[in-house]
Amino acid sequence: MLALFISATSYGQKAETPDQDYGLGAKINEMTLTVGGVLVVATNDGLAGIKPTESEPVFTFNVFGKLKPEETKFIPLTPYIVISQGADSKFAGISKTKRAVIDYVSGKVLFKSDDLNWNQIYTCNVMLPENKLVVSGIQKVGDKAEKMTARVAVYDLETGKEDYQFFLVEPGKVTMKYFAVTGTPLMLKDKLLIPTSQGIIAKDKSGNTLWENKIKNVNWMTSNESESDIYCFAKTSNLKNTRIYKLDANGQESWEDERKVKGIVMNFEILPKGLAVVSNKGDGTEGGAFSTKSESVIAFMDANTGEDLWEKAPKTKGYVQHFYVMDDGILFGIQSGGINKISFEGKPLFKKPLKTGENIMVMAHTPQGLIYITGEDANIVDLETGEQVWKKPLKYKNSANVASTFDEANNRYLIAANETIFAIDANTSEISEIAEVDFEEKESPSSMQMRNGKIFLGSSQNVMLLEGDGSEMFHEYYKSPSKSGFMKVLSAVGAAASTAMMVASAARAGANKSAFGSVNKLSSYNRYGADAKRAADMFGDIASASFATLSQRFKATAATENSQFILTKLDSGAGLVKVDKDSGKVEKEILLKDKKPEYKVDERGGYLYYKADDKTIYAYNLN
């Protein structure tokens, strides 16, 4: 799913004849390869969508003119793009705001605020699995009072048609209070909850008010499966802490007082024994996985009272990179190093916290226990006690690239790090070095897989196949056009789990009840195909032709299963080659000529998109 991306400052030269040629008529500023395989191109005129099987763009959207990157939001793992001009705001400003929603698979514009007389948009949220769009703001429709009163509308994203709408307050009602939507609404079976600057309002599909409360400025909400318990999250004014409220189905507060947690809540899961909460504190921002200023806080709260069930929260001393709910407790891994497991009662389940290297790339189930792989060590540990299964950890010099796989025929783990391939016997945990890998351009293997008993290794410019004993069958090197002309591929260990990571990202993005189920379950090692199936099933659960297309795409075998695409220096200039993993031979080559071409490779579908000049995209079928 990851695409290779080349950044160019110079315009392209003419390449060989493409399968499709798209003249967009305006300067190309940015290219985005979507999860659906459609290339979305930002130009000086707007957006265009390119589907390689079509001779013309599947859509062009120029009505808003040139768009800044921050004005185009791709909703993760959906066919939707939300386009914004004029910032989302709690309170209506003087300037007009515009919003549009495009289904890039079908090419349909499902919502455009101008066409529906929306003058101010406060919020615009995609709701899954309901496949609805909830919009709030000021709509210039009706009499004078109605034109000045904030309203909410719900649209069906399969058809683009309005389902229902209602006003936040009665039009014309005299009040000194200003009502604006302050966060993401929560769509339940029979009602919609809207967080506002004056409290939460529950409306049915006829627009009738079911209940109101005075919990102001909530940012997001979620509920349990039965929808009897509703949890609301509001950042404090300094953005450094979060207040959590619990409501019953009638909007009444279930806890005597709200609960305040340090930092911004990043993960929240409702469990039979309580509420698991992970928040990031430190610099007052939501931070990133590698933020040096962030430290995570893990809490487990009583669902009935909100009280912390743990007398003493586990120390993290860093950012929680991995967080998994197990049958007997919570397992977590820290980006700066370290793994621990705590029972739901707050008791340490490991005899002592496990020390690991930094950047835990993999934590996964194996028949022997929990395997972890970091940038500098690897081991399997007993999930009950935390004791190591391997006699000693596998240690290597800190490496940005670590590739691994499981050799079922020989019942062993294979790990490639710092030019060495290690084999770890699953039964005896004996470690041996079976091969040294000397890749050109000082590369390290970034991908590894078993192919009919052989070991395949790949990197940006190298491919290699080894016998099971480590003896070399072939090593092919394809020289890069320019060592500084492109970005090297990310670590295969991290990249291989990209589908699962995107599912997790999508599930949290809307802060709504999710179609994706729990994202905090520990996966099985080497089950990347299972992750793709999970995505396909998830897409298939949503009734929409475009989601059905996404589902079919992920059910199909990826184009990279048997081939690797490499940018290299050909006799007549730079080009992309398709290399067979079993022979190392070139099956197909496409001459691009640019020394620093700008392109995207759809590795799942097997297509190359190339920026031929500043207004033209070429598409090539690599299958």
Side-chain angles (χ1 to χ4, degrees):
M1 198 179 304
L2 293 179
L4 303 177
F5 173 72
I6 306 305
S7 176
T9 55
S10 59
Y11 297 144
Q13 303 172 48
K14 286 293 181 183
E16 64 182 67
T17 304
D19 293 285
Q20 303 285 3
D21 181 342
Y22 305 93
L24 301 180
K27 183 177 181 296
I28 296 168
N29 300 313
E30 191 173 7
M31 301 189 302
T32 301
L33 181 62
T34 65
V35 70
V38 175
L39 185 76
V40 176
V41 184
T43 73
N44 278 353
D45 286 345
L47 294 182
I50 293 175
K51 190 182 293 185
T53 55
E54 306 290 335
S55 59
E56 298 292 332
V58 68
F59 75 84
T60 55
F61 185 85
N62 297 334
V63 292
F64 287 6
K66 182 180 178 180
L67 296 168
K68 300 174 183 176
E70 62 270 20
E71 294 175 334
T72 304
K73 180 180 180 182
F74 293 84
I75 306 302
L77 285 181
T78 76
Y80 303 128
I81 307 169
V82 176
I83 301 171
S84 307
Q85 278 192 339
D88 287 323
S89 175
K90 284 184 184 180
F91 307 105
I94 297 174
S95 61
K96 184 175 181 178
T97 56
K98 297 179 181 181
R99 298 291 182 272
V101 178
I102 298 173
D103 179 336
Y104 64 73
V105 173
S106 69
K108 294 178 181 177
V109 178
L110 298 171
F111 173 83
K112 185 150 70 74
S113 56
D114 282 357
D115 291 349
L116 299 168
N117 295 308
W118 287 93
N119 190 55
Q120 286 284 339
I121 300 286
Y122 301 156
T123 59
C124 182
N125 298 106
V126 171
M127 298 287 163
L128 296 174
E130 295 83 3
N131 203 27
K132 305 292 184 183
L133 180 73
V134 180
V135 177
S136 70
I138 301 293
Q139 192 176 24
K140 296 298 184 182
V141 175
D143 60 30
K144 183 177 179 181
E146 291 174 337
K147 291 178 181 179
M148 298 298 293
T149 305
R151 72 175 85 199
V152 174
V154 179
Y155 297 88
D156 188 308
L157 282 172
E158 186 174 6
T159 64
K161 294 180 179 178
E162 181 184 294
D163 276 357
Y164 58 96
Q165 68 165 269
F166 49 82
F167 293 98
L168 287 181
V169 295
E170 183 181 343
K173 180 180 179 180
V174 178
T175 175
M176 296 300 292
K177 296 179 179 179
Y178 184 78
F179 284 80
V181 178
T182 60
T184 303
L186 177 64
M187 185 168 283
L188 301 177
K189 293 184 182 74
D190 60 352
K191 55 183 169 285
L192 184 68
L193 309 189
I194 306 98
T196 79
S197 51
Q198 300 301 325
I200 300 171
I201 303 173
K203 295 272 191 175
D204 65 16
K205 293 182 180 181
S206 298
N208 300 313
T209 300
L210 301 176
W211 50 259
E212 298 180 56
N213 64 33
K214 296 184 179 180
I215 301 175
K216 301 178 181 180
N217 300 320
V218 166
N219 303 113
W220 61 281
M221 299 172 282
T222 190
S223 77
N224 61 355
E225 283 298 317
S226 66
E227 301 182 356
S228 60
D229 300 330
I230 300 161
Y231 297 93
C232 312
F233 301 80
K235 297 174 188 175
T236 57
S237 57
N238 61 8
L239 302 180
K240 290 187 177 181
N241 298 301
T242 304
R243 290 190 174 93
I244 304 175
Y245 305 81
K246 182 184 178 183
L247 310 179
D248 64 19
N250 297 313
Q252 298 298 311
E253 290 192 55
S254 302
W255 295 340
E256 186 175 343
D257 296 299
E258 76 271 15
R259 296 302 163 201
K260 186 176 178 180
V261 297
K262 294 180 179 180
I264 305 302
V265 173
M266 304 299 292
N267 205 327
F268 180 83
E269 184 151 346
I270 303 166
L271 301 169
K273 293 188 177 182
L275 311 170
V277 186
V278 180
S279 58
N280 282 358
K281 66 173 186 176
D283 57 1
T285 69
E286 296 192 21
F290 303 101
S291 171
T292 57
K293 296 181 180 179
S294 289
E295 182 178 66
S296 297
V297 177
I298 301 176
F300 197 72
M301 304 165 70
D302 188 307
N304 294 318
T305 66
E307 297 292 338
D308 198 327
L309 292 171
W310 293 347
E311 291 182 6
K312 191 174 182 181
K315 292 182 179 180
T316 60
K317 297 182 179 179
Y319 185 92
V320 172
Q321 189 177 17
H322 297 264
F323 180 82
Y324 305 109
V325 176
M326 314 295 287
D327 290 338
D328 55 350
I330 292 172
L331 176 74
F332 60 93
I334 307 301
Q335 192 278 327
S336 55
I339 297 173
N340 206 350
K341 188 180 180 186
I342 308 295
S343 76
F344 296 121
E345 292 72 35
K347 305 293 184 183
L349 294 177
F350 287 177
K351 291 184 178 179
K352 59 181 179 180
L354 183 67
K355 292 182 179 180
T356 74
E358 292 186 5
N359 188 18
I360 304 173
M361 302 174 185
V362 167
M363 285 178 63
H365 269 301
T366 74
Q368 291 76 34
L370 170 75
I371 188 170
Y372 73 83
I373 301 174
T374 80
E376 53 194 87
D377 67 343
N379 203 343
I380 291 180
V381 297
D382 187 311
L383 269 170
E384 302 297 322
T385 64
E387 293 182 340
Q388 63 186 31
V389 173
W390 294 350
K391 295 177 181 178
K392 59 181 180 179
L394 171 64
K395 297 203 174 202
Y396 37 83
K397 186 179 177 182
N398 194 9
S399 177
N401 277 347
V402 181
S404 77
T405 192
F406 186 72
D407 177 3
E408 291 186 15
N410 294 294
N411 197 29
R412 61 182 181 173
Y413 297 89
L414 300 175
I415 295 177
N418 283 319
E419 302 180 346
T420 301
I421 300 178
F422 302 93
I424 305 95
D425 188 289
N427 290 325
T428 66
S429 75
E430 292 293 335
I431 298 173
S432 59
E433 297 181 13
I434 64 171
E436 292 294 322
V437 179
D438 186 15
F439 275 5
E440 299 290 340
E441 299 190 21
K442 297 182 179 179
E443 290 189 334
S444 299
S446 57
S447 64
M448 174 186 272
Q449 69 180 122
M450 297 304 300
R451 300 187 61 81
N452 299 316
K454 310 295 192 297
I455 306 167
F456 173 80
L457 299 161
S459 66
S460 294
Q461 308 302 136
N462 294 264
V463 290
M464 176 180 280
L465 194 68
L466 305 177
E467 292 281 8
D469 62 4
S471 58
E472 184 179 307
M473 296 184 68
F474 70 76
H475 173 202
E476 299 293 340
Y477 162 59
Y478 300 92
K479 182 177 174 61
S480 61
S482 168
K483 287 187 179 181
S484 61
F486 57 94
M487 294 178 357
K488 298 293 185 183
V489 180
L490 295 173
S491 163
V493 168
S498 60
T499 303
M501 291 170 64
M502 287 186 70
V503 169
S505 172
R508 298 186 183 105
N512 192 49
K513 289 187 69 177
S514 171
F516 313 136
S518 174
V519 298
N520 296 315
K521 299 300 181 186
L522 189 66
S523 297
S524 295
Y525 178 70
N526 234 19
R527 292 293 304 277
Y528 310 128
D531 287 336
K533 183 182 183 300
R534 181 185 178 193
D537 292 344
M538 177 190 68
F539 296 137
D541 288 340
I542 299 175
S544 159
S546 292
F547 274 102
T549 298
L550 296 184
S551 180
Q552 287 301 120
R553 175 175 161 85
F554 275 77
K555 285 178 181 176
T557 301
T560 51
E561 180 68 23
N562 298 311
S563 306
Q564 180 166 322
F565 303 115
I566 298 176
L567 181 70
T568 186
K569 185 176 182 180
L570 301 175
D571 291 341
S572 300
L576 194 79
V577 293
K578 179 183 180 181
V579 181
D580 181 77
K581 290 181 178 179
D582 293 315
S583 67
K585 303 304 181 185
V586 174
E587 296 178 310
K588 192 167 188 173
E589 64 179 44
I590 296 172
L591 182 65
L592 302 179
K593 290 190 177 180
D594 284 356
K595 288 185 178 180
K596 298 181 181 180
E598 185 174 346
Y599 71 99
K600 295 278 187 179
V601 174
D602 175 8
E603 296 189 348
R604 178 159 289 278
Y607 288 93
L608 165 66
Y609 298 100
Y610 167 56
K611 180 179 169 183
D613 60 40
D614 66 335
K615 297 180 181 179
T616 307
I617 299 290
Y618 285 175
Y620 299 90
N621 189 338
L622 300 175
N623 294 293

